[in-house]
Amino acid sequence: MLLSPLVLLAACGQPAPQQTNTASAAPKETGYIARVQALPPGQREGVLFRAIRSSGGQSCQEIKQVEPLPTPASGQPAWRVTCIDGSQWRVALTDDGTALVTGAQR
C-alpha cells in the first residue's frame, strides 16, 4: 500500500509520452488480391459471383464466363463477368478485400 503513492509521486513532473501518427495514405496490404488470383477458376468465380450479388446484381443467377481484363496502373485487377442472363459486370479487387462492381450491361 505504501508503494502506490511513491510510484505516483515518481511519475509527477515527467513529460507525457509523445504520440505518433502511424496512419498512412496507402491501405494496408493484406495479400487478398494475390490469394484470389491464386484460386482455382471455380473458386475465383465464386468470389466474383458473391461480389456481384452483394452489390445488388440480383439478375446474375449463375456465371457463364469470366475474362480477366488488363490491369490498370492502379494495380487493381479486374474481370469481366458474363452471367447466364447475358448481363455483364466489371469486378475490380482492392488489396483490402473490397470488390468494386460496376453496372450490368447487356
Side-chain angles (χ1 to χ4, degrees):
M1 274 259 202
L2 293 176
L3 290 179
S4 298
L6 293 176
V7 172
L8 292 174
L9 284 176
C12 290
Q14 299 290 328
Q18 293 285 334
Q19 291 185 346
T20 57
N21 186 359
T22 58
S24 63
K28 181 181 174 186
E29 289 192 25
T30 63
Y32 180 75
I33 292 171
R35 289 194 313 266
V36 170
Q37 289 177 320
L39 289 173
Q43 290 180 358
R44 187 177 321 113
E45 286 178 11
V47 170
L48 300 174
F49 179 74
R50 284 191 303 273
I52 292 168
R53 294 293 298 229
S54 295
S55 72
Q58 300 303 321
S59 65
C60 186
Q61 297 298 316
E62 186 179 330
I63 290 179
K64 178 180 177 181
Q65 182 178 10
V66 174
E67 303 169 66
L69 297 172
T71 302
S74 66
Q76 296 174 337
W79 292 264
R80 179 181 301 115
V81 179
T82 304
C83 298
I84 60 170
D85 67 355
S87 61
Q88 290 187 335
W89 304 85
R90 180 184 180 277
V91 182
L93 299 178
T94 64
D95 205 39
D96 67 357
T98 304
L100 308 170
V101 179
T102 53
Q105 304 165 357
R106 291 187 187 226

